[in-house]
Amino acid sequence: MIMGRLATRSAVTILACALVAATPWTVDADPIADFVSPAQDPSLAAATPLGEPWFDPPPGYESSAPGTVLDTRDVTVGPLVTPTRSTQILFRTSDSHDRPVAATTTVVVPTAPWTGPGTRPVVAYNMAIDSLGNTCAPSWTLPRGIAPEIAAVQLFLAKNYAVVVTDHQGPRQAYAAGRMAGHAVLDALRAMVNLPGLGLPHESPIAITGYSGGAIASGWAAQLAPDYAPDVNLVGTAFGGAPVDYRILLGSMNGNNGASTLFLSATMGVAREYPEMFQLMNANGLRLAQIAKDMCIYLLAPPGLVAPIPVQALSDVPNVDRTPIAERIIADNRMGGDLAPSAPVFIYQGQQEFWIPRQGAETLYDEWCANGANVRLEEYVGEHLVVAISGLPGSHAWIDDRLAGKPAPEGCSSFGR
């Protein structure tokens, strides 16, 4: 057992050293001092600002209502087949503790007029950002043509829907913080309505969707909407592969080859909304938090294949995931419980999921249904990456029906469970 702990600590140190070499440090940083003697200072692990004044909210914005438009700018999003016009909105929202913050969304509208009944439908598409750096957010990647899920956006634009892509991790890039994500998505839709020039008025039907990391934002937006944003004209939410309960993921992703560093990154992201977590970190945990603070998923995920480090290795506190701090934060970011959507929901899930087990989706389905929600659960053969593709036809057809005004079947039903 002693040798095992030593091996884990060595793996953490080796991984940290490798990441140091790959990290673009700022001019005024002292990476050697931070690495040798890391401090329990959350600001050292904060994402580096982009240095673009446009993202800075104006003085006094905190007193404005959630969804208030703080600034706008035209951008070009691509590569796309459908001709569009795109607008970025800086808006006021609320973080995980209901404190005012500013976030950004990108609204992409086809230039062709809407010829269907009513006003143009809107899809709030939540990308799986799954990253810690500001250059990983959709507001930065979309105008540069490097957004990894641009094809999914194009699928909805081809139907002449408008698409809203929000930086749902918020201004701190709080990866996996559910309440922050849900607030950001809902307030982005309020901001959209508050810009008449977009041609997307309050009565426009809105569907929310996303997969995996994007399902965190989608599911939380759905269950927060009744109390937080009842004014948003939400007609339905469809999501898949949702990380519903981090207690489950502690058994499936934590220390697991291929998933461990993503789980560690999610831990760092949540800590940005709950800085008391830094009190639980040892020197290696603080080192990794500082080193990975600006990394995107393509740098964060691969190290898990060679260094499957459990989150417990980043703390010297025995049973750290069972401490009062950890228990409270895990509970606060668990989807379901006493919260439930008022608009219908479609959930899809892989039957052979090993990173994000079906248990989470099934428990969420049971809890939401017990609280009176209207939910359809479909489970398909395959694991996470397979169902990301195979689940699209069903979820898109369901979204099309809701946006067309076709009522969802009453009550709850499931397939493949």
Side-chain angles (χ1 to χ4, degrees), residues 13-46:
T13 304
I14 292 170
L15 174 61
C17 290
L19 293 176
V20 165
T23 302
W25 297 94
T26 55
V27 174
D28 58 347
D30 188 349
I32 296 177
D34 289 341
F35 186 79
V36 174
S37 302
Q40 285 185 324
D41 181 357
S43 66
L44 295 176

Side-chain angles (χ1 to χ4, degrees), residues 321-339:
D321 62 298
R322 292 293 181 179
T323 59
I325 290 176
E327 292 279 20
R328 173 174 52 82
I329 294 170
I330 290 173
D332 202 40
N333 286 276
R334 178 183 177 275
M335 214 180 290
D338 294 332
L339 297 172

Side-chain angles (χ1 to χ4, degrees), residues 220-236:
W220 272 95
Q223 69 176 16
L224 290 174
D227 290 328
Y228 183 78
D231 52 303
V232 172
N233 189 24
L234 180 60
V235 298

Side-chain angles (χ1 to χ4, degrees), residues 225-310:
D227 290 328
Y228 183 78
D231 52 303
V232 172
N233 189 24
L234 180 60
V235 298
T237 302
F239 60 86
V244 170
D245 184 351
Y246 299 124
R247 177 63 62 194
I248 295 174
L249 303 188
L250 274 163
S252 61
M253 294 182 71
N254 184 40
N256 187 350
N257 281 339
S260 62
T261 46
L262 275 183
F263 187 79
L264 292 178
S265 302
T267 302
M268 301 303 178
V270 172
R272 289 173 169 176
E273 291 288 288
Y274 301 84
E276 59 268 33
M277 288 176 61
F278 286 90
Q279 303 170 21
L280 305 176
M281 296 183 191
N282 60 21
N284 277 331
L286 296 167
R287 289 177 184 124
L288 285 177
Q290 294 176 32
I291 294 164
K293 66 180 184 178
D294 294 319
M295 291 188 176
C296 299
I297 185 172
Y298 52 80
L299 285 178
L300 291 171
L305 296 171
V306 296
I309 300 165

Side-chain angles (χ1 to χ4, degrees), residues 80-85 109-112:
L80 294 170
V81 176
T82 302
T84 61
R85 63 181 185 278
V109 183
T111 55

